[in-house]
Amino acid sequence: RLRVAADGRSEFTLKVANQDCARLERGVVPSSAGKCEYDVYGTSMAGAVSLTRHLGVESTSELVAGRVAPAQVLSRSQIRYLREVVRIWPLPPGIRALGPMLLRTYGTPDKRYDIDITQLPDGVEYAEISRKVPAADATRVQATMEADLSRAGVEICADQTSQAVNKLRSLLR
């Protein structure tokens, strides 16, 4: 994922879903480069690794223009994770950019929740309300969040699974 800021710099993040955070080898996700966290959707909880590299304006422009391949701007930590954990290195040919997606993030006045609205090029929008808490607190906080949403008149959609695959499929069309 490439998130480009208004000033032209960016964050280039390798995201790997379905990871067992508790079983990762020490140091494979350096705290200075990323994190392993659990995402909760409905009744499922799955680990996800995020490793981020900050790119300057020139590197961002080169990547966006397609003059540089994604593999050329990955950090050492990102390459190590792909090679040692995912066991996909070098990257297969044919990796290409998908998007762009527009992401707008809002926070509640009490700063408890983040609301992400993602708009795809075809105009389809996804809304996700989240809160970061320790994994041990997830069930309790989820119940609190559902009660807060109900009091606010926000209806929770029936499909409480991650929408990442649906977004990617839409971008492939």
Side-chain angles (χ1 to χ4, degrees):
R1 176 184 71 203
L2 182 69
R3 283 191 174 161
V4 181
D7 65 3
R9 293 181 292 171
S10 65
E11 291 181 346
F12 188 45
T13 302
L14 170 69
K15 295 193 72 134
V16 184
N18 300 319
Q19 301 297 290
D20 188 345
C21 298
R23 293 183 184 238
L24 287 176
E25 184 179 311
R26 186 177 167 100
V28 76
V29 180
S31 60
S32 62
K35 62 188 174 191
C36 190
E37 63 186 357
Y38 289 97
D39 293 326
V40 177
Y41 294 97
T43 59
S44 70
M45 180 186 293
V49 167
S50 296
L51 291 164
T52 298
R53 177 170 190 198
H54 298 275
L55 300 176
V57 174
E58 186 176 337
S59 295
T60 300
S61 296
E62 293 291 304
L63 185 58
V64 170
R67 292 186 290 270
V68 172
Q72 293 175 282
V73 295
L74 289 171
S75 70
R76 287 184 182 150
S77 296
Q78 291 168 323
I79 292 169
R80 179 180 179 210
Y81 198 84
L82 287 169
R83 185 179 59 243
E84 295 178 15
V85 179
V86 184
R87 303 209 188 286
I88 299 176
W89 191 260
L91 291 176
I95 292 178
R96 64 184 175 91
L98 298 176
M101 294 189 298
L102 175 64
L103 173 65
R104 296 181 313 272
T105 300
Y106 304 92
T108 56
D110 60 9
K111 300 185 189 227
R112 286 175 46 176
Y113 303 115
D114 287 331
I115 300 101
D116 288 339
I117 308 294
T118 306
Q119 183 177 13
L120 302 181
D122 62 4
V124 173
E125 290 187 325
Y126 291 85
E128 181 178 343
I129 301 172
S130 64
R131 182 172 175 193
K132 296 200 181 304
V133 298
D137 297 339
T139 302
R140 179 185 54 77
V141 171
Q142 183 178 15
T144 300
M145 181 165 51
E146 288 173 2
D148 289 345
L149 292 171
S150 178
R151 277 192 301 279
V154 176
E155 185 177 334
I156 299 172
C157 66
D159 184 357
Q160 284 297 300
T161 59
S162 171
Q163 295 300 304
V165 170
N166 292 334
K167 291 176 190 177
L168 291 171
R169 283 189 180 127
S170 178
L171 290 170
L172 282 169
R173 286 185 224 125

